[in-house]
């Protein structure tokens, strides 16, 4: 099974360990992982900021880079959601690209959804132990239907205890460029999220999108909380690896 | 004041923040519980959205049918192209019937034209009878902050102070006592008014009726005690049949206040007939365009499906934190972020479509399935096209897509970026101040990267094998 891995530009730049962890998980499930080397960005920043033509150019690039793969998997609900649920809108006036983008969309998966529903991974290699709480990132939850999948995977690690927070489905306030354009509102939303995380007493908050990770971790640290870990689900499931350059 | 300044003020208002916190949990919980009573929530939403869309698809035809049927029952249908036309019509009606004192039940559309001010300027007396609207009126016409709970931003103590000051009574501490006090004041107005104004939740084309959904009986009194009744609402509020209303009513109160049904549902059809005991002798409908026809032909036309339940704002994490006043005009929250720019001009509300994380919590609770984030994005596209965004933002976006279209250059730029960010992060691996990123680092640190991009590390891994 040839799986095209979409790294996402944010993971590429900010936290490569997530991509290495995701690849290890995919490989442990028997997938042959391909990483198209020319990939960059899915086009979401431009798309959500009104720059349709910029977004279109990047979307067309992703389509041509990944359409030969059997699947496209991304360690992000947001980027996979962009490809699966929004490319069709971008190419609504271009029948040829529309059909190619729709074909790609149909085989595009968020990582945990793919691990559970396609690879049917029944064992996870991770060595994390402790109490965690799970934050449902908006696009993963509401565009990709990711809710039970990460919880099912966490449950396969006996050393992990999940403690839910009441508003786990409420947006953390990231919202891409929103986090910079409306920093004060975004910070307040992140702060509310941090309070809920801290109230659970968890050792780590786990989630599936790096944008939200940076936002939540950034606010936790500014609040002076240096101990609550903010981890991508792939990092928790795959455990640490020296080759990944993973953060401690 | 602009959006950001108003939001800043709201975020710093401790009392408001406390009031908002209370409001947030209440409406979200009650809606969720009320929807469990339906066998098929998604199917009902689908049906409700289709009903509203069917009405909009042939709006002109349904409006004509409504006019024919309403006229046949003795009502007069008037059309208002602009907000100013609304005020002119109402003042004309008042003069024609010699009305001096007007009671009014809730109408958000009348806020669009600041009707109360226009009536007072014309020498008429107007009294708001919806308790929330009444509270705002006696507080020097404070603007509403929510479409169904206009005074939601106020707490019990604030209202108690206001009543004591304005009514000249002793300060009450129980809500029930405050309600009794308001009732006593309002009852005398009902009995002395000679004209009643209401909004209209739905106009029913097949019967020429207006449907009013309320909880305080004030709409019933307002529309049946005075001899003249004027119902004002947007042209988009027409629905083909009473059967359609029945379907929409399965969702409206549940989505709004979490009630299975509102305390009162008035369906008013025509003037008081011979031998009939209840109803106004003269009935007018003012159907308001004020930008709606333009929206109908635009990329955001689905916004006109809205049945004004308020669920989108109740569930919006931005609204929950900044409150309704931050949005600056009649309609706050996600639906306001579409309607306000559409009605008053995108150039006059450039922040509203942007001030959303697009989390789509609004979209999934909307009872008529308005794709709110998609509509916000359409308006963002228009802002980008019309160059309503700062040049730095437009330049940044263009530079990003230019760079990301060139993989080798992108790899080089990110390689440099990753190192630079690592250096900025120092030993703590936290960036406290990001150049050009103050919006982020004013309230948050930026976790610094490890210094090498995935691309670089992966290439090294590949060559090492």
């Amino acid at each position: 099974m040839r799986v095209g891995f979409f790294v996402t530009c944010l993971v590429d730049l900010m936290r490569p360990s997530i991509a290495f962890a995701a690849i290890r998980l995919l490989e442990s499930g028997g997938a042959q992982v391909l990483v198209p080397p020319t990939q960059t960005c899915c086009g979401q920043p431009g798309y959500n900021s009104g720059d349709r033509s910029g977004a279109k150019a990047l979307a067309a690039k992703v389509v041509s880079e990944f359409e030969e793969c059997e699947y496209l998997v991304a360690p992000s609900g947001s980027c996979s959601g962009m490809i699966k649920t929004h490319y069709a809108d971008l190419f609504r006036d271009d029948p040829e690209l529309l059909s190619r983008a729709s074909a790609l969309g149909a085989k595009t998966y968020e990582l945990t959804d793919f691990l559970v529903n396609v690879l049917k991974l029944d064992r996870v290699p991770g060595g994390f132990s402790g109490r965690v709480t799970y934050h449902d990132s908006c696009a993963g939850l509401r565009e990709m239907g990711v809710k039970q999948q990460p919880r099912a995977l966490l449950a396969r690690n006996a050393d992990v205890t999940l403690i839910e927070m009441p508003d786990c489905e409420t947006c953390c306030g990231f919202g891409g460029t929103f986090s910079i354009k409306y920093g004060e509102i975004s910070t307040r939303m992140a702060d509310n999220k941090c309070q809920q995380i801290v109230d659970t007493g968890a050792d780590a908050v786990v989630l599936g999108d790096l944008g939200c990770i940076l936002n939540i971790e950034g606010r936790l640290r500014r609040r002076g909380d240096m101990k609550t870990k903010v981890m991508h689900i792939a990092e928790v499931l795959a455990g640490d690896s020296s080759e990944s350059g993973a953060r401690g | 004041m602009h959006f950001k300044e108003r939001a800043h003020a709201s975020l710093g208002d401790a009392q408001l923040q406390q009031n908002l916190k209370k409001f947030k949990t209440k409406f979200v919980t009650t809606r969720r519980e009320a929807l469990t009573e339906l066998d098929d929530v998604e199917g009902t939403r689908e049906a409700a959205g289709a009903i509203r869309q069917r009405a909009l698809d042939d709006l002109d035809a349904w409006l004509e049918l409504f006019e024919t049927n309403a006229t046949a029952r003795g009502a007069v249908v008037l059309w208002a192209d602009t907000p100013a036309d609304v005020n002119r019509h109402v003042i004309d009606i008042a003069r024609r019937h010699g009305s001096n004192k007007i009671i009014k039940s809730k109408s958000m559309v009348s806020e669009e034209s600041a009707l109360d001010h226009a009536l007072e300027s014309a020498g008429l007396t107007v009294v708001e009878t919806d308790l929330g609207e009444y509270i705002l009126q006696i507080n020097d016409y404070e603007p509403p902050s929510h479409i169904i709970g206009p005074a939601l931003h106020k707490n019990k103590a604030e209202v108690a102070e206001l009543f004591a000051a304005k009514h000249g009574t002793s300060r009450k501490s129980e809500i029930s006592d405050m309600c009794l006090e308001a009732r006593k004041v309002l009852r005398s107005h009902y009995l002395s008014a000679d004209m009643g104004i209401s909004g209209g939740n739905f106009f029913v084309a097949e019967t020429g009726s207006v449907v009013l959904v309320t909880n305080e009986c004030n709409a019933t009194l307002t529309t049946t005690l005075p001899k003249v009744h004027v119902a004002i609402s947007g042209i988009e509020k027409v629905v083909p049949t009473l059967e359609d209303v029945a379907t929409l009513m399965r969702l409206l109160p549940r989505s709004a206040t979490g009630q299975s049904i509102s305390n009162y549902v008035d369906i008013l059809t025509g003037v008081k007939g011979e031998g009939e005991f209840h109803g106004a002798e003269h009935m007018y409908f003012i159907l308001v365009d004020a930008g709606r026809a333009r929206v109908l032909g635009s990329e955001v036309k689905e916004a006109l499906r809205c049945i004004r339940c308020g669920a989108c704002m109740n569930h919006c994490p931005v609204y929950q934190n900044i409150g309704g006043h931050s949005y600056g005009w009649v309609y706050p929250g996600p639906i306001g972020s579409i309607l306000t720019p559409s009605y008053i001009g995108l150039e006059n509300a450039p922040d509203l479509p942007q001030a959303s994380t697009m989390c789509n919590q609004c979209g999934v609770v909307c009872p008529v399935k308005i794709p709110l984030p998609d509509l916000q994005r359409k308006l963002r596209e228009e802002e980008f096209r019309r160059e309503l965004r700062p040049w730095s933002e437009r330049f940044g976006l263009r530079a990003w897509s230019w760079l990301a279209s060139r993989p080798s250059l992108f790899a080089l730029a990110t390689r440099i970026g990753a190192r630079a960010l690592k250096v900025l992060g120092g030993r703590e691996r936290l960036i406290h101040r990001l150049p050009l990123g103050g919006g982020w680092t004013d309230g948050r640190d930026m976790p610094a990267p490890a210094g090498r991009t995935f691309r670089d590390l992966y290439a090294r891994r590949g060559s090492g094998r």
Side-chain angles (χ1 to χ4, degrees), chain A residues 21 124-128 132 154 157 160 204 206 231-239:
Chain A
V124 293
F128 184 87
V132 304
L154 286 172
N157 182 342
V160 170
V206 180
M231 298 177 78
H232 193 280
I233 178 82
E235 297 175 303
V236 174
L237 298 176

Side-chain angles (χ1 to χ4, degrees), chain B residues 21 53 73 128 175 209 296 367 416:
Chain B
K21 216 161 258 168
Q53 195 54 50
R73 301 295 299 258
E128 292 284 351
I175 289 179
S209 319
L296 193 62
I416 297 167

Side-chain angles (χ1 to χ4, degrees), chain B residues 308-326:
Chain B
R308 303 291 191 269
C309 69
C312 64
M313 53 200 80
N314 295 345
H315 290 76
C316 174
V318 174
Y319 180 98
Q320 286 168 353
N321 280 290
I322 64 175
H325 286 155
S326 299

Side-chain angles (χ1 to χ4, degrees), chain B residues 249-444:
Chain B
M249 282 302 292
R250 289 170 72 77
L251 287 174
L252 175 55
R254 289 187 172 93
S255 302
T257 45
Q259 293 167 288
S260 308
I261 188 76
S262 51
N263 294 349
Y264 296 87
V265 180
D266 294 84
I267 302 177
L268 304 166
T269 313
V271 294
K272 179 158 76 177
E274 212 160 311
E276 286 180 352
F277 186 65
H278 290 295
E281 290 164 32
H282 307 279
M283 188 177 197
Y284 293 86
F285 292 105
I286 301 178
L287 278 77
V288 185
D289 179 346
R292 287 157 175 82
R294 198 175 58 239
V295 173
L296 193 62
S298 78
E299 282 194 296
V300 298
K301 55 179 178 292
E302 293 97 329
L304 295 179
R305 284 185 207 158
C306 178
I307 56 173
R308 303 291 191 269
C309 69
C312 64
M313 53 200 80
N314 295 345
H315 290 76
C316 174
V318 174
Y319 180 98
Q320 286 168 353
N321 280 290
I322 64 175
H325 286 155
S326 299
Y327 294 81
W329 199 60
V330 180
Y331 304 103
I335 190 64
S337 74
I338 311 299
L339 294 182
T340 300
S342 300
Y343 292 167
I344 70 170
L346 191 50
E347 63 284 358
N348 296 317
D351 277 302
L352 298 193
Q354 306 280 341
S356 153
T357 62
M358 293 198 160
C359 75
N360 197 27
Q361 184 63 59
C362 52
V364 299
V365 298
C366 176
V368 289
K369 300 193 80 165
I370 301 170
L372 288 149
D374 290 341
L375 303 189
Q376 287 168 341
R377 192 181 301 106
K378 299 285 175 219
L379 294 178
R380 292 181 185 189
E381 287 172 5
E382 188 181 336
E383 285 190 66
F384 189 80
R385 267 199 314 272
R386 289 173 54 193
E387 307 199 341
L388 294 174
R389 301 298 306 161
W391 75 267
S392 54
E393 187 180 318
R394 283 181 282 131
F395 173 80
L397 289 166
R398 290 224 164 92
W400 175 255
S401 60
W402 185 87
L403 183 66
S405 302
R406 289 163 179 74
S408 323
L409 205 57
F410 186 87
L412 179 68
T414 50
R415 187 179 301 143
I416 297 167
R419 297 221 169 125
L421 289 170
K422 184 190 178 189
V423 172
L424 279 175
R427 285 179 49 185
E428 278 181 307
R429 297 173 82 168
L430 287 173
I431 302 166
H432 303 305
R433 183 104 237 128
L434 203 56
L436 302 176
W440 183 287
T441 49
D442 281 350
R444 286 157 292 193

Side-chain angles (χ1 to χ4, degrees), chain A residues 4-73:
Chain A
F5 184 65
F6 187 69
V7 180
T8 81
C9 56
L10 211 50
V11 166
D12 179 44
L13 176 72
M14 299 299 286
R15 203 166 294 187
S17 55
I18 294 170
F20 285 107
I23 290 170
R24 273 203 303 287
L25 289 168
L26 290 167
E27 287 175 345
S28 78
Q32 180 199 346
V33 179
L34 306 173
V35 186
T38 56
Q39 62 175 294
T40 55
C41 162
C42 66
Q44 187 175 189
Y47 182 60
N48 279 349
S49 300
D51 177 13
R52 246 185 119 78
S53 67
K56 245 182 190 164
L58 295 178
K61 184 170 161 299
V62 171
V63 171
S64 65
E65 285 161 344
F66 284 88
E67 61 192 339
E68 297 301 323
C69 300
E70 273 175 80
Y71 297 98
L72 182 158
V73 175

Side-chain angles (χ1 to χ4, degrees), chain A:
Chain A
M1 175 189 300
R2 285 174 306 114
V3 173
F5 184 65
F6 187 69
V7 180
T8 81
C9 56
L10 211 50
V11 166
D12 179 44
L13 176 72
M14 299 299 286
R15 203 166 294 187
S17 55
I18 294 170
F20 285 107
I23 290 170
R24 273 203 303 287
L25 289 168
L26 290 167
E27 287 175 345
S28 78
Q32 180 199 346
V33 179
L34 306 173
V35 186
T38 56
Q39 62 175 294
T40 55
C41 162
C42 66
Q44 187 175 189
Y47 182 60
N48 279 349
S49 300
D51 177 13
R52 246 185 119 78
S53 67
K56 245 182 190 164
L58 295 178
K61 184 170 161 299
V62 171
V63 171
S64 65
E65 285 161 344
F66 284 88
E67 61 192 339
E68 297 301 323
C69 300
E70 273 175 80
Y71 297 98
L72 182 158
V73 175
S76 159
S78 176
C79 308
S80 58
M82 173 70 195
I83 296 166
K84 194 180 184 73
T85 66
H86 296 294
Y87 275 14
D89 169 56
L90 270 178
F91 298 122
R92 65 184 177 212
D93 302 323
D94 184 338
E96 195 244 319
L97 264 165
L98 177 60
S99 85
R100 289 167 59 199
S102 304
L104 179 63
K107 54 188 182 182
T108 293
Y109 287 82
E110 184 273 345
L111 177 68
T112 61
D113 186 29
F114 189 77
L115 294 175
V116 170
N117 290 318
V118 180
L119 288 184
K120 305 193 188 304
L121 205 64
D122 50 15
R123 281 192 313 159
V124 293
F128 184 87
S129 68
R131 289 164 306 167
V132 304
T133 190
Y134 195 85
H135 165 68
D136 296 288
S137 295
C138 300
L141 177 69
R142 285 181 276 271
E143 284 181 352
M144 301 301 282
V146 174
K147 177 72 187 180
Q148 294 312 323
Q149 301 90 322
R151 289 170 173 82
L153 291 165
L154 286 172
R156 278 164 214 178
N157 182 342
D159 299 328
V160 170
T161 311
L162 178 67
I163 310 163
E164 297 280 7
M165 54 185 148
D167 295 340
C168 57
E169 296 186 359
T170 299
C171 179
C172 73
F174 174 62
T177 54
F178 173 88
S179 62
I180 295 173
K181 284 194 268 194
Y182 302 94
E184 194 182 1
I185 304 172
S186 177
T187 298
R188 180 63 59 88
M189 291 164 73
D191 197 61
N192 296 341
K193 181 60 67 178
C194 291
Q195 191 56 50
Q196 291 225 338
I197 294 165
V198 171
D199 287 346
T200 63
D203 304 309
V205 55
V206 180
L207 56 156
D209 267 278
L210 182 51
C212 318
I213 289 180
L214 296 174
N215 187 41
I216 293 170
E217 184 172 338
R219 182 59 198 165
L220 276 173
R221 302 300 173 250
R222 183 63 63 92
R223 283 165 57 116
D225 182 336
M226 298 296 169
K227 75 172 202 305
T228 307
K229 293 195 179 102
V230 186
M231 298 177 78
H232 193 280
I233 178 82
E235 297 175 303
V236 174
L237 298 176
D240 202 2
S241 163
S242 54
E243 73 177 336
S244 66
R247 299 163 52 89

Side-chain angles (χ1 to χ4, degrees), chain B residues 31-100:
Chain B
R31 171 188 170 275
R32 188 171 51 226
E33 284 166 4
L35 283 179
T36 60
E37 301 164 351
L38 298 181
D39 303 331
D40 179 9
V41 176
E42 284 314 304
T44 313
R45 283 178 75 221
E46 200 67 57
I51 286 168
R52 291 296 297 130
Q53 195 54 50
R54 174 171 168 238
L56 295 173
D57 286 343
D58 292 301
L59 189 61
D60 50 349
W62 297 119
L63 285 170
E64 267 179 43
L65 184 63
F66 174 79
E67 183 178 29
T68 305
N69 287 325
T71 308
R73 301 295 299 258
V76 177
V77 177
L78 301 167
W79 304 89
D81 289 343
T82 65
D85 288 345
V86 176
N87 299 349
R88 195 171 44 76
H89 280 317
V90 177
I91 292 166
D92 283 351
I93 295 165
R95 299 249 156 87
R96 188 171 317 144
H97 294 286
S99 308
N100 291 311

Side-chain angles (χ1 to χ4, degrees), chain B residues 112-228:
Chain B
E112 293 179 38
S113 63
L115 175 64
D116 289 7
H117 290 292
L119 295 178
E120 288 186 347
S121 304
L124 301 161
T125 303
V126 56
V127 179
E128 292 284 351
T129 62
D130 173 90
L131 185 55
E133 293 285 355
Y134 174 74
I135 290 166
L136 299 181
Q137 183 183 29
I138 64 171
N139 198 28
D140 302 324
Y141 280 111
E142 189 182 356
S145 68
H146 189 286
I147 59 171
I148 64 159
L152 271 177
H153 57 283
K154 290 196 143 17
N155 69 8
K156 188 169 84 172
E158 290 169 291
V159 176
E161 293 290 336
L162 185 67
F163 274 17
K166 299 286 173 166
H167 294 157
T169 52
S170 62
R171 191 180 185 283
K172 311 288 184 296
S173 55
E174 294 301 318
I175 289 179
S176 55
D177 291 335
M178 287 185 246
C179 286
L180 277 177
E181 183 170 314
R183 176 187 288 190
K184 208 167 140 195
V185 173
L186 288 172
R187 277 289 145 101
S188 69
H189 291 305
Y190 286 122
L191 296 172
S192 58
D194 37 27
M195 177 169 157
I197 295 176
S198 74
N201 289 86
F202 304 109
F203 292 129
V204 186
E206 68 171 354
T207 58
S209 319
V210 60
V211 181
L212 299 173
V213 180
T214 59
N215 274 321
E216 299 166 20
C217 193
N218 64 312
T220 312
L221 295 171
T222 297
T223 56
T224 53
L225 288 178
K227 62 182 196 293
V228 184

